Amino acid sequence: MSLAHEVQMLSKCSLSTVSRFRAPRRALSAMVALSLLVVVDVAGAQESSSAAQPDAEAAQAAASLAAAIAAAKAEAADESSVEFEKPDDLASALNQLLQPGALAKDLLKLLTLDDSRNRMILSIGLGATVATVYEGDELAFSALRPEGLDDFSDGMSSIGQRVVLYPALAAAFFGGHALDKPGLARTAAQLTQALVLTDLVVTPIKLGIRRMRPDAYDELSFPSGHTAGAFAMATVLSHNYGKKAAIPAYAFATLMGISRIDQRRHFLSDVIAGAAIGIVAANVVNDRFSNERLRVHMVAARGGGTGIGFTLDF
């Protein structure tokens, strides 16, 4: 059997294998299958160096490999990505901003905890929450009551209100399209969806646990929604822009949590739980927006000819 036929068969096999996995695992399955294809291609090229038509076989093998990669990327996207072109009407704009179908899948993914990284974050958050209940909460109150923080805490709490955040993000989204800056519109949509997903998790927990706030205002103390939202947005900005955004964004989120304790609106344990939920919710949304994780490029093969290389971002 010729090298090209072998690679074609392996490509179909890898494609079949990839299709059986759920979206977060498809890229990894594709990487394993593609590694096998590259090994076969190199070994076959060495053995067939004296073949009558090596260039034709290599080209056919490269085409089969490219088809397998393209199919794997299509499967990994799972119809959840939206091109951030300027929408034609308000309905399409709102769908692009909120992507309700994709958010529903994100919520299911978050609740099933099928990502080991998110399981670890929630485990650490839960452990820290339990460790700080009562004694840790009281220590935080005694440490965070210096005079002069009232105005600062009031301002932070006002910024974290959803009646402020959601309109601001919507304005950034529509402004990005109006100014022909699709990157701004995309980031605004990503922040909005991370915040919505966070609220979809935080609100039922608040209503279910009904922990009395430190100031006895109501029974919606646990977890802190302000803190969860701030850490969700910080995680999105960190993911999109790296350290230059991560440091100020997470510093702001931490100050948001401190302000909520200072105002006696939340316990320290509420804040820790909210931070963990916000980070995990944003991770789920970030993973969906990062649908260009598998990149294909041409490389020079040993012994002459052209091959295909790939890069998979984790």
Side-chain angles (χ1 to χ4, degrees), residues 134-146 211-215 221 258 260-270:
Y134 301 123
E135 291 187 7
D137 290 339
E138 293 302 322
L139 287 174
F141 283 145
S142 62
L144 294 174
R145 199 55 183 174
R211 185 184 193 185
M212 183 68 71
R213 293 185 187 272
D215 62 0
S221 185
I258 292 174
R260 301 301 285 169
I261 298 172
D262 177 66
Q263 285 189 312
R264 294 298 195 271
R265 300 294 286 176
H266 285 288
F267 298 98
L268 175 60
S269 50
D270 301 336

Side-chain angles (χ1 to χ4, degrees), residues 3 12 24 29 34 80 101 121 129 133 154 167 187 191-192 197-198 201 208 226 232 239 242 270 281-282 295 304:
L3 171 63
K12 293 178 181 178
S29 303
L34 295 176
S80 61
I121 293 172
T129 298
V133 169
D154 290 344
T187 298
L191 288 167
T192 301
L197 185 60
T198 298
V201 175
H226 277 67
H239 176 270
D270 301 336
R295 301 192 300 276

Side-chain angles (χ1 to χ4, degrees), residues 85-106:
E85 299 176 353
K86 186 173 293 187
D88 297 327
D89 50 41
L90 180 60
S92 59
L94 292 176
N95 181 67
Q96 191 182 84
L97 175 63
L98 298 173
Q99 297 184 40
L103 268 178
K105 294 179 181 179
D106 288 345

Side-chain angles (χ1 to χ4, degrees), residues 13 28-29 33 46 76 78 80-81 87 108 137 142 159 167 182 188 195 202 242 254 256 272 298 300 303:
C13 179
L28 183 58
S29 303
Q46 292 174 348
D78 196 28
S80 61
S81 63
L108 180 61
D137 290 339
S142 62
I159 294 173
L195 192 60
V202 167
T254 301
M256 179 66 74
I272 294 174
M298 304 302 293

Side-chain angles (χ1 to χ4, degrees), residues 24-259:
R25 300 172 186 168
R26 285 174 182 144
L28 183 58
S29 303
M31 182 186 70
V32 175
L34 295 176
S35 299
L36 176 60
L37 288 172
V38 170
V39 171
V40 172
D41 185 34
V42 172
Q46 292 174 348
E47 293 175 359
S48 60
S49 58
S50 60
Q53 296 179 334
D55 291 340
E57 289 198 0
Q60 192 173 1
S64 299
L65 182 56
I69 293 172
K73 290 179 68 176
E75 288 289 327
D78 196 28
E79 300 181 353
S80 61
S81 63
V82 172
E83 294 296 330
F84 274 77
E85 299 176 353
K86 186 173 293 187
D88 297 327
D89 50 41
L90 180 60
S92 59
L94 292 176
N95 181 67
Q96 191 182 84
L97 175 63
L98 298 173
Q99 297 184 40
L103 268 178
K105 294 179 181 179
D106 288 345
L107 180 60
L108 180 61
K109 180 180 178 181
L110 193 156
L111 295 177
T112 55
L113 291 177
D114 62 351
D115 186 294
S116 59
R117 172 191 52 175
N118 289 337
R119 286 198 300 269
M120 180 183 68
I121 293 172
L122 285 179
S123 296
I124 294 173
L126 178 61
T129 298
V130 173
T132 55
V133 169
Y134 301 123
E135 291 187 7
D137 290 339
E138 293 302 322
L139 287 174
F141 283 145
S142 62
L144 294 174
R145 199 55 183 174
E147 295 297 330
L149 276 184
D150 289 346
D151 291 341
F152 168 77
S153 297
D154 290 344
M156 291 291 291
S157 293
S158 297
I159 294 173
Q161 294 284 349
R162 298 304 189 259
V163 295
V164 174
L165 290 178
Y166 281 124
L169 291 173
F173 172 80
F174 287 104
H177 281 309
L179 298 173
D180 197 24
K181 294 185 179 296
L184 174 60
R186 183 182 181 87
T187 298
Q190 191 172 349
L191 288 167
T192 301
Q193 291 170 42
L195 192 60
V196 171
L197 185 60
T198 298
D199 289 342
L200 288 174
V201 175
V202 167
T203 302
I205 296 176
K206 282 179 173 288
L207 296 175
I209 293 182
R210 303 197 67 83
R211 185 184 193 185
M212 183 68 71
R213 293 185 187 272
D215 62 0
Y217 179 77
D218 59 30
E219 296 180 344
L220 300 175
S221 185
F222 183 89
S224 170
H226 277 67
T227 307
F231 272 90
M233 297 177 71
T235 302
V236 170
L237 294 174
S238 174
H239 176 270
N240 287 2
Y241 302 107
K243 292 182 180 179
K244 63 181 180 181
I247 295 175
Y250 281 117
F252 180 85
T254 301
L255 290 174
M256 179 66 74
I258 292 174
S259 72

